[in-house]
Amino acid sequence: MNQTLTEEFEQHCDAALAWIARFRGEANDQDHRDFALWLAADAGHRQAMDLMLELWDDLGSVRHLPLEAEPPATAPARAQPTRRQWLTGAVALAAGLAMAFVLLPLNRESGGNESLRTAHGERATFTLSDASQVTLNTDSRLDVAFTGSARALTLVKGEAFFDVAHDPKRPFSVSAGDTTVTAVGTAFNVYRRADSTAVTVSDGVVRISNLAAGGTAPQSVLLEADEHLETGRNGALGTGRSVDTDRYLAWQRGEIIAEALTLAELADEMARYSNTRILISEREVAELTVSGVFSLDHPDTVVQALERSLGLRVVPLGNGSVQLLKSPQ
């Protein structure tokens, strides 16, 4: 084994042992989902597990080793672990690994459930068991339920971009409220708002279905590459329109591409990503429009750009937010 035992890697192994301790108790379904998320969050997590499993292969000899009950009182606080200490950890880990891996990732290809999440201001990419990739935007949650015949996902909230692995025998469907987007192999974006859902296709074709208010059968619309569709407030589907897909997917690069966007709309969009709120109380200021590329991760630079380009007055507030006002004449 050539794994370098860094302090960070030691922490990954400590975390792995903590998970095993939990599974040796009364673990619930949420524990299983959280553990799967932990494994996917960092390559080092899986490397730690791989090391433990590799060491477990030596158990035939480990069983005959007199394992130390406690470390010497004078041992350095962060001494480099020896192979024997790693084997000791492997014994503790292996006690729960069989149950953990049977219940969690080994059978994900044919089935299983998991929940993917991002925090406010966070963006993250996940690889699913079918090799599809999902990138979640800020403050989003996606529930995944794969079986041998279907790939069903639910966008509980927020926004996600899907790069779908081709598998005609298992349709890939994403539900967002009453709206369902189905694809076999394509790439598309879904943004679930409070009262509507927006879908943008960057590659291939998807079918969008929605049960219109008062209807008895779901409506269905085909959306092709470089097309965008938003559901109406009553749940009905309109028709797709050609768009610059790059504009709708700019969030993956940490950007907003504004085209005659009002300051009120820009402030609302920035609020999705930062605790620094841009407050506008004057209607005349709120209705000013801007065009350009703005950074989602640096709200201070956005405020400075608005101040200079529009001649506004910026008033810092005590809670870290700012207020935009007209400059005095």
Side-chain angles (χ1 to χ4, degrees), residues 148-151 164-172 182-185:
S149 60
R151 295 174 289 174
V164 182
H166 186 74
D167 186 352
K169 295 182 179 180
R170 291 201 299 168
F172 189 102
T182 304
V184 173

Side-chain angles (χ1 to χ4, degrees), residues 171-184:
F172 189 102
S173 62
V174 179
S175 297
D178 293 330
T179 301
T180 301
V181 183
T182 304
V184 173

Side-chain angles (χ1 to χ4, degrees), residues 16 52 57 79 82 96 124 135 147 160 177 179 213 220 225 235 267 269 293 304 307 322:
M52 293 298 184
D57 290 340
T82 65
T135 301
T147 67
T179 301
S220 182
E269 190 67 12
V293 180
Q304 292 170 10
E307 180 182 24
V322 298

Side-chain angles (χ1 to χ4, degrees), residues 71-141:
T74 58
R78 298 301 300 179
Q80 280 287 351
T82 65
R83 178 177 175 82
R84 177 170 175 166
Q85 288 172 319
W86 280 115
L87 290 172
T88 303
V91 173
L93 175 66
L97 271 181
M99 176 176 66
F101 277 90
V102 166
L103 292 178
L104 289 171
L106 282 181
N107 200 35
R108 288 181 64 208
E109 181 60 35
S110 60
N113 302 304
E114 58 182 322
S115 183
L116 310 177
R117 305 167 188 256
T118 52
H120 183 235
E122 179 186 14
R123 296 181 298 276
T125 298
F126 304 87
T127 300
L128 305 181
S129 63
D130 66 338
S132 296
Q133 286 198 328
V134 178
T135 301
L136 292 186
N137 202 353
T138 174
D139 192 21
S140 299
R141 173 184 164 187

Side-chain angles (χ1 to χ4, degrees), residues 21-224:
R22 182 177 302 181
F23 282 117
R24 293 182 69 184
E26 296 183 0
N28 54 34
D29 290 342
Q30 186 61 50
D31 291 329
H32 297 164
R33 289 191 289 269
D34 289 344
F35 178 57
L37 287 174
W38 178 81
L39 283 177
D42 192 303
H45 297 171
R46 287 196 175 277
Q47 290 171 4
M49 284 294 184
D50 288 343
L51 178 61
M52 293 298 184
L53 288 172
E54 186 177 347
L55 290 169
W56 176 243
D57 290 340
D58 295 334
L59 270 183
S61 58
V62 172
R63 290 193 185 98
H64 303 289
L65 291 177
L67 301 177
E68 296 173 356
E70 294 183 3
T74 58
R78 298 301 300 179
Q80 280 287 351
T82 65
R83 178 177 175 82
R84 177 170 175 166
Q85 288 172 319
W86 280 115
L87 290 172
T88 303
V91 173
L93 175 66
L97 271 181
M99 176 176 66
F101 277 90
V102 166
L103 292 178
L104 289 171
L106 282 181
N107 200 35
R108 288 181 64 208
E109 181 60 35
S110 60
N113 302 304
E114 58 182 322
S115 183
L116 310 177
R117 305 167 188 256
T118 52
H120 183 235
E122 179 186 14
R123 296 181 298 276
T125 298
F126 304 87
T127 300
L128 305 181
S129 63
D130 66 338
S132 296
Q133 286 198 328
V134 178
T135 301
L136 292 186
N137 202 353
T138 174
D139 192 21
S140 299
R141 173 184 164 187
L142 178 72
D143 289 345
V144 180
F146 282 5
T147 67
S149 60
R151 295 174 289 174
L153 305 92
T154 300
L155 185 60
V156 180
K157 66 174 181 175
E159 185 171 15
F161 177 79
F162 303 89
D163 191 352
V164 182
H166 186 74
D167 186 352
K169 295 182 179 180
R170 291 201 299 168
F172 189 102
S173 62
V174 179
S175 297
D178 293 330
T179 301
T180 301
V181 183
T182 304
V184 173
T186 186
F188 59 97
N189 193 81
V190 181
Y191 178 15
R192 181 174 180 176
R193 300 187 178 98
D195 54 5
S196 65
T197 297
V199 181
T200 306
V201 180
S202 61
D203 182 60
V205 179
V206 303
R207 180 179 297 278
I208 305 175
S209 303
N210 200 309
L211 185 62
T216 59
Q219 293 183 334
S220 182
V221 173
L222 289 179
L223 205 62
E224 300 181 356

